[in-house]
Amino acid sequence: MTTLLISPDGMLGRAFVEALGEGFTGVSYPQIDLTKPETIATHLAPGITRVINCSAYTDVDGAETNEALANAINGHGVEALAKRCREIDATLIHFGTDYVFDGNATKPYPVSAPLAPQGAYGRSKALGETLLRSSGAQHIYVRTSWLYAPWAKNFVRTIASLAKTKSELKVVDDQRGRPTSAEHLARTTLALSERGKRGTWHVTDGGECSWFELAREIVRLSGSSCVVHPCTTAEFPRPAKRPAYSVLDLAETESVLGAMPDWRENLASVMARLEP
């Protein structure tokens, strides 16, 4: 399988670099720019059989004032990738988010749950998955949530860093979801690909928690004496609305690959290897 990895230098891209090991070609922005279809045509050449797209507009709050750009990258850019993949007979692996759902559920969202994004970022990602499905391209579309890694900017590294200098932290306790190790996401996605799976899947760590519970475990694993206090979303207003409940149902993925490792297990592995 000849693989093209888009954005190998990002948080998820780096996880794929490690998981793939060799036998792939990486291409980064601006060599490939999802807002410029001509760069897509240049790099997605005949002979490539698998394209892993780790490029996305991920600024959740920024999307509220830059929705056109978010749509161009997360929506129409994905459509352009998919159409080119169809032309060269390549499978496109692309990633989505829990933000495409309304956040009002009380049990995990199944793969088939209706899309009802509450903000611009979620709308842009929902547009992308809709255009991907209608493109006619062979694809593996993976929704995930709360991504973290030992590297790059993410919640785990931020809290671990703050815990070194702060005696107290306040973290929201009324938003629940599933954390996801980027390394686990990359390995699991490749496992689905290697089994010839197609369509839409959910991949996260196992279990669920609130941001407060996640932060408390990060601090505990760090050995810090910092005290984490729970607070409400209303105490920390943000431009974009966050889902109160965005737990993704893993049943279909686990029926193929077995139980996903618990978030505490994956978190402990990452915390032991945090980069400065």
Side-chain angles (χ1 to χ4, degrees):
M1 191 175 292
T2 304
T3 299
L4 180 71
L5 176 61
I6 300 176
S7 293
D9 46 357
M11 178 164 55
L12 181 56
R14 182 171 165 182
F16 270 104
V17 169
E18 294 192 355
L20 287 164
E22 56 184 25
F24 72 94
T25 299
V27 60
S28 300
Y29 178 88
Q31 284 70 37
I32 192 164
D33 182 340
L34 298 193
T35 67
K36 296 178 179 178
E38 65 273 14
T39 68
I40 294 172
T42 297
H43 290 284
L44 272 67
I48 292 172
T49 55
R50 180 170 64 181
V51 176
I52 303 173
N53 179 37
C54 296
S55 179
Y57 182 101
T58 58
D59 184 349
V60 174
D61 289 324
E64 294 300 310
T65 53
N66 291 283
E67 189 164 1
L69 179 59
N71 284 339
I73 297 172
N74 294 341
H76 302 294
V78 173
E79 180 183 33
L81 273 179
K83 288 182 175 179
R84 182 57 178 165
C85 284
R86 184 187 63 199
E87 290 172 358
I88 64 172
D89 196 25
T91 298
L92 176 59
I93 297 177
H94 178 61
F95 298 89
T97 173
D98 53 330
Y99 279 63
V100 299
F101 300 125
D102 60 16
N104 297 323
T106 55
K107 61 181 180 179
Y109 284 93
V111 166
S112 59
L115 305 184
Q118 300 299 295
Y121 169 70
R123 288 192 293 271
S124 74
K125 295 295 284 185
L127 175 64
E129 66 171 88
T130 300
L131 293 174
L132 172 60
R133 289 196 193 93
S134 64
S135 70
Q138 291 291 314
H139 64 271
I140 302 173
Y141 175 63
V142 179
R143 296 195 193 103
T144 190
S145 59
W146 297 22
L147 200 63
Y148 66 92
W151 50 76
K153 182 180 179 181
N154 62 76
F155 183 82
V156 171
R157 292 186 71 232
T158 296
I159 294 297
S161 177
L162 289 172
K164 293 178 181 179
T165 59
K166 302 287 186 181
S167 60
E168 296 181 300
L169 292 172
K170 294 179 72 174
V171 181
V172 295
D173 195 31
D174 55 0
Q175 297 174 23
R176 296 191 68 79
R178 295 192 195 269
T180 310
S181 158
E183 294 162 298
H184 164 64
L185 176 58
R187 291 191 301 267
T188 304
T189 300
L190 290 177
L192 290 170
S193 175
E194 288 156 8
R195 284 164 174 76
K197 299 301 180 182
R198 297 292 184 269
T200 302
W201 301 84
H202 287 168
V203 176
T204 69
D205 296 351
E208 64 178 74
C209 61
S210 70
W211 289 109
F212 161 72
E213 291 166 337
L214 176 56
R216 186 174 57 184
E217 184 67 4
I218 293 166
V219 171
R220 186 188 73 80
L221 290 169
S222 74
S224 169
S225 59
C226 177
V227 178
V228 185
H229 300 286
C231 67
T232 66
T233 300
E235 292 178 66
F236 285 92
R238 305 284 292 277
K241 182 180 179 181
R242 266 65 175 174
Y245 183 90
S246 61
V247 177
L248 300 177
D249 190 323
L250 301 173
E252 292 188 28
T253 305
E254 292 183 330
S255 71
V256 174
L257 300 177
M260 297 294 100
D262 186 83
W263 66 270
R264 297 170 189 85
E265 178 184 338
N266 282 347
L267 177 64
S269 172
V270 167
M271 286 293 296
R273 298 175 290 112
L274 282 187
E275 296 187 356

